């Protein structure tokens, strides 16, 4: 398949070309992982950024102006991620939800649910689904079921287009990653269960075809299977390879901004497109129709926003009141800082920004030890006035806090699992880099506060058994608390977030815990959600920490280091 690149009004397009004659086209524009982005703005820095619905709409309008036969669909993780989305998730729950208001104005046809759309629980999600329906947006997820096995929302829609005197019916089938129970508090999806995506696609595609669909587009909030996966969160490639009757897939969740192709059971090439988060890269699937008005083929490609594209003024105006209320909230000063908290080198060195997060968590759980991972390399808290936005930029998620009792061996294994992140070195001159094969996400590089330790990268990464428990480990050396080596058999109390507690990243399994088991519950001594409600969110705890202190000062314990030469213990 050939690819032609072109630039239109600040947009870079990569268009596959088949060489076949095309009489007409139906265009399906797809976004995914918008994470609350309407304005072309990085809220943490205040600088312009090539993201958001206002910029995307400029492209959508240009396509529609040339071709009325256009659909607009979204693939989930839509209502979490910016201060604006948070404000209307948690603070103002009366106004129409801004993402649905803007998506309605843009003429979105569908919204497939993503895992982060469950972050605020069903009360919030159902409220926003109601707003979507008001805006004539069909909410999809074929594999999400109520306890009585009825669908939670619509499984699919079919939209008809008249092309060359013939009717072409285009179906969009929505699927949501099945791993939500691993990440979320059970209360957030109470009464729901999430079936396997491949199984559900095999069930629903024939139904959709029987309902008259000429073209089937799967909108699946799941990515492409990767070596770093330790849970089945990414299944888009498996859907393409194992399910007949699909013409193209819009996937998401992994934020790759890439295109792929796989061969289905019938030998047909199935294109997959995946946007980037905030949709600095979004996707388009062009359905080719021949001179007789019959479906011929699909071309799928990505479109990249550039600095030259101008945000749509109507969308900016429509969202202004939402933005004004958000900024009034986020610009509120909650304290002062004597110096800058930053983390530019947090992937390879201890940092003041992660130490701040860990201090807050340890303080809240009344423990010495706490784990936190990098969430943003640009996160910082400035010297002088500290605003809510500074904290929100430093801790982007609505996680809760758990206190977990573990042995010294479990603590070590947790760290061993974390430092798989790094590539093994062959010589002292080698650079310290992420393992290029495993490609572990930065947010799965847990760093321990309250202890000192060395990371010896002359050793290979740990290995695990069939349950994911660490069985060989040699990278963590000199693990000490208050200068004393940690014994494998001693019991320790550690603060972790709910994302880890529920199994995300594989850390619980690596340490020998089974999330939800009686043994794990017995080892749990603190649950901030149960104790404090919404005030138990880590970010809200950080707000209170700053407010209570009045003035905060950055500290760096410099408590761990990485070595490219052997370390003795």
């Amino acid at each position: 398949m050939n690819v032609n690149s072109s630039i239109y009004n600040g947009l870079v397009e990569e268009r596959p070309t088949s060489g076949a004659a095309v009489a007409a086209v139906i265009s399906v524009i797809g976004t995914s992982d918008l994470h609350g982005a309407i304005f072309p703005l990085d809220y943490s820095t205040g600088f312009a950024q090539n993201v958001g619905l206002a910029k995307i709409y400029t492209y959508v309008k240009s396509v529609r102006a040339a071709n009325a036969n256009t659909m607009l669909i979204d693939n989930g993780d839509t209502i979490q991620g910016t201060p604006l989305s948070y404000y209307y998730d948690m603070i103002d729950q009366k106004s129409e939800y801004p993402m649905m208001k803007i998506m309605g104005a843009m003429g979105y046809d569908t919204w497939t649910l993503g895992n982060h759309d469950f972050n605020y629980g069903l009360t919030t999600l159902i409220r926003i689904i109601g707003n979507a329906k008001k805006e004539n947006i069909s909410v999809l997820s074929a594999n999400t079921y109520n306890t009585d096995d009825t669908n939670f929302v619509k499984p699919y829609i079919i939209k008809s287009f008249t092309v060359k005197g013939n009717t072409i019916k285009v179906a969009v089938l929505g699927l949501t990653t099945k791993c939500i129970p691993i990440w979320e508090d059970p209360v957030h999806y109470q009464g729901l269960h999430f079936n396997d995506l491949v199984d559900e696609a095999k069930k629903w595609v024939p139904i959709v075809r029987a309902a008259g669909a000429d073209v089937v587009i799967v909108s699946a909030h799941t990515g492409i299977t990767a070596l770093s996966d330790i849970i089945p969160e990414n299944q888009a490639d498996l859907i393409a390879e194992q399910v007949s009757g699909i013409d193209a897939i819009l996937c998401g969740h992994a934020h790759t901004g890439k295109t792929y192709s796989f061969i289905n059971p019938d030998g047909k090439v199935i294109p997959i497109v995946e946007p980037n988060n905030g949709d600095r890269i979004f996707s388009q699937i062009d359905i080719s129709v021949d001179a007789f008005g019959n479906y011929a083929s699909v071309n799928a490609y990505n479109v990249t926003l550039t600095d030259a594209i101008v945000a749509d003024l109507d969308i900016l105006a429509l969202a202004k009141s939402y933005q004004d209320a958000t900024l009034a909230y986020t610009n509120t000063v909650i304290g002062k800082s004597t110096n800058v908290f930053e983390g530019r080198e947090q992937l390879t060195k201890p940092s003041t920004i992660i130490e701040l997060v860990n201090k807050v968590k340890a303080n809240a759980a009344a423990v010495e030890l706490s784990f936190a991972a990098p969430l943003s390399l640009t996160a910082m808290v400035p010297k002088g006035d500290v605003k809510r936005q500074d904290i929100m930029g430093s801790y982007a998620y609505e996680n809760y806090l758990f206190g977990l009792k573990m042995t010294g061996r479990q603590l070590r294994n947790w760290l061993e699992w974390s430092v798989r992140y790094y590539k093994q070195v062959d010589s002292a001159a080698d650079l310290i880099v992420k393992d290029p094969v495993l490609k572990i996400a930065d947010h799965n590089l847990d760093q321990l506060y309250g202890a000192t330790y060395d990371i010896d990268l002359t050793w290979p990464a740990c290995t695990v058994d069939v349950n994911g428990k660490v069985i060989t480990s040699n990278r963590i050396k000199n693990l000490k608390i208050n200068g004393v080596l940690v014994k494998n058999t001693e019991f320790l109390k550690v603060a972790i977030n709910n994302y880890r507690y529920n199994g995300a990243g594989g850390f619980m399994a690596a340490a020998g815990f089974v999330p939800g088991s009686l043994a794990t519950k017995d080892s749990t001594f603190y649950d901030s959600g149960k104790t404090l409600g919404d005030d138990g969110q880590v970010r809200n705890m950080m707000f209170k920490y700053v407010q209570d202190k009045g003035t905060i000062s950055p500290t760096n314990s410099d408590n761990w280091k990485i070595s490219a030469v052997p370390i003795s213990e």
Side-chain angles (χ1 to χ4, degrees):
M1 183 178 290
N2 297 319
V3 176
N4 289 338
S5 294
S6 62
I7 299 178
Y8 169 76
N9 195 23
L11 295 147
V12 178
E13 300 175 324
E14 293 187 351
R15 292 178 176 264
T17 57
S18 64
V22 176
V25 168
I26 299 169
S27 291
V28 181
I29 300 171
T31 56
S32 187
D33 300 273
L34 284 164
H35 286 287
I38 296 173
F39 288 81
L41 175 69
D42 181 342
Y43 285 89
S44 63
T45 65
F47 297 146
Q49 194 174 31
N50 290 320
V51 298
L53 290 172
K55 279 200 167 195
I56 292 169
Y57 191 47
T58 298
Y59 178 80
V60 172
K61 288 202 302 184
S62 72
V63 173
R64 285 179 177 156
N67 179 18
N69 292 323
T70 299
M71 291 185 75
L72 182 57
I73 66 176
D74 183 70
N75 194 43
D77 277 9
T78 308
I79 68 170
Q80 178 278 334
T82 62
L84 186 148
S85 60
Y86 174 80
Y87 186 82
Y88 290 94
D89 287 319
M90 299 298 294
I91 308 301
D92 180 352
Q93 299 183 337
K94 300 296 184 182
S95 298
E96 182 177 355
Y97 194 71
M99 292 297 287
M100 297 305 116
K101 182 75 170 179
I102 300 305
M103 289 168 68
M106 291 174 64
Y108 268 85
D109 294 285
T110 67
W111 165 35
T112 296
L113 298 178
N115 54 292
H116 280 294
D117 297 323
F118 289 83
N119 280 174
Y120 302 97
L122 289 180
T123 299
T124 296
L125 180 56
I126 290 170
R127 166 172 60 89
I128 296 171
I129 288 173
N131 290 165
K133 291 178 179 178
K134 175 185 175 183
E135 296 291 346
N136 296 314
I137 302 168
S138 294
V139 185
L140 308 180
S141 183
N143 66 310
T144 302
Y145 290 92
N146 299 305
T147 52
D148 62 358
D149 286 329
T150 56
N151 288 100
F152 175 57
V153 291
K154 290 181 180 180
Y156 67 91
I157 69 160
I158 296 177
K159 187 170 184 175
S160 297
F161 297 89
T162 301
V163 184
K164 298 294 181 181
N166 199 15
T167 299
I168 302 290
K169 294 183 177 181
V170 179
V172 179
L173 172 66
L175 295 167
T176 303
T177 178
K178 66 179 180 180
C179 292
I180 288 169
I182 295 175
W183 301 311
E184 284 295 331
D185 185 321
V187 173
H188 288 178
Y189 58 90
Q190 189 169 16
L192 300 178
H193 58 277
F194 308 88
N195 288 356
D196 181 78
L197 279 70
V198 175
D199 291 344
E200 289 294 310
K202 288 179 178 178
K203 169 186 173 179
W204 284 104
V205 170
I207 293 172
V208 172
R209 288 288 184 184
D214 300 296
V215 182
V216 176
I217 308 296
V218 172
S219 173
H221 193 86
T222 184
I224 303 297
T225 304
L227 284 174
S228 59
D229 290 351
I230 50 110
I231 56 174
E233 59 185 295
N234 295 312
Q235 293 187 282
D237 50 325
L238 304 181
I239 297 169
E241 291 175 332
Q242 297 180 30
V243 184
S244 297
I246 295 169
D247 294 291
I249 298 174
L250 171 69
C251 77
H253 184 62
H255 304 176
T256 66
K258 295 181 179 180
T259 60
Y260 313 86
S261 62
F262 296 90
I263 307 298
N264 81 352
D266 305 313
K268 177 181 176 181
V269 176
I270 307 300
I272 300 180
V273 283
E274 179 170 9
N276 192 218
N277 58 309
D279 281 33
R280 49 180 61 84
I281 298 174
F282 54 99
S283 302
Q284 186 163 327
I285 300 167
D286 284 340
I287 302 164
S288 299
V289 180
D290 66 20
F292 301 100
N294 298 314
Y295 163 60
S297 62
V298 295
N299 281 339
Y301 51 95
N302 281 342
V303 180
T304 303
L305 291 174
T306 70
D307 291 338
I309 189 69
V310 177
D312 182 79
L313 295 179
D314 291 336
I315 294 300
L316 295 179
L318 187 60
K320 184 179 183 300
S321 62
Y322 293 112
Q323 180 80 330
D324 289 346
T326 298
L327 295 179
Y329 173 77
T330 60
N331 287 331
T332 301
V333 175
I334 58 174
K336 292 186 178 294
S337 175
T338 61
N339 214 328
V340 177
F341 291 76
E342 59 85 29
R344 288 169 293 179
E345 298 181 292
Q346 62 190 286
L347 298 180
T348 55
K349 295 179 181 178
S351 67
T352 54
I353 199 73
I354 288 188
E355 184 150 315
L356 173 63
V357 174
N358 267 325
K359 268 187 176 180
V360 171
K361 292 167 71 173
N363 179 70
V367 297
E368 289 185 63
L369 304 174
S370 175
F371 279 112
L375 297 180
S376 169
L377 299 185
T378 59
M380 57 89 70
V381 175
K383 180 180 179 180
D385 287 344
V386 178
K387 301 176 181 178
R388 280 199 183 99
Q389 177 51 48
D390 300 319
I391 301 302
M392 296 175 85
S394 301
Y395 202 91
Y397 298 102
E398 291 71 42
N399 293 326
Y400 288 83
L401 183 65
F402 280 85
L404 190 64
K405 290 181 287 187
M406 63 178 72
T407 65
R409 167 53 69 184
Q410 288 175 311
L411 185 72
R412 180 184 294 272
N413 286 350
W414 193 292
L415 282 168
E416 286 282 358
W417 182 251
S418 176
V419 299
R420 297 179 314 131
Y421 177 93
Y422 302 107
K423 179 184 177 183
Q424 184 180 4
V425 298
D426 295 318
S427 73
D430 285 356
L431 295 175
I432 307 302
V433 297
K434 178 188 290 197
D435 188 296
V437 177
L438 291 179
K439 297 180 181 178
I440 295 169
D442 295 350
H443 63 249
N444 282 328
L445 178 61
D446 274 14
Q447 299 173 15
L448 179 62
Y449 170 76
T452 58
Y453 57 98
D454 300 317
I455 304 167
D456 184 347
L457 294 186
T458 65
W459 287 90
C462 66
T463 60
V464 298
D465 64 16
V466 293
N467 296 313
K469 182 179 179 180
V470 171
I471 52 177
T472 65
S473 55
N474 293 290
R475 286 187 169 182
I476 299 299
K477 303 291 176 65
N478 300 311
L479 177 58
K480 299 178 181 180
I481 298 175
N482 297 322
V484 179
L485 283 171
V486 173
K487 298 176 182 178
N488 287 339
T489 55
E490 66 179 294
F491 282 92
L492 305 162
K493 291 184 175 182
V494 187
I496 61 174
N497 66 33
N498 68 294
Y499 184 72
R500 289 286 181 259
Y501 183 80
N502 290 326
F507 288 84
M508 290 287 279
F513 290 102
V514 178
S517 69
L518 180 60
T520 296
K521 291 177 181 178
D522 287 344
S523 296
T524 304
F525 63 88
Y526 182 71
D527 177 343
S528 69
K530 288 183 178 178
T531 304
L532 300 172
D534 288 339
D535 289 339
Q537 289 182 10
V538 174
R539 195 162 59 192
N540 289 338
M541 289 177 171
M542 292 180 71
F543 291 156
K544 188 174 188 302
Y545 179 86
V546 176
Q547 290 169 327
D548 289 348
K549 293 284 186 182
T551 299
I552 57 174
S553 297
T555 60
N556 188 340
S557 301
D558 199 25
N559 61 313
W560 57 270
K561 67 177 184 292
I562 301 173
S563 178
V565 297
I567 294 176
S568 59
E569 185 171 35

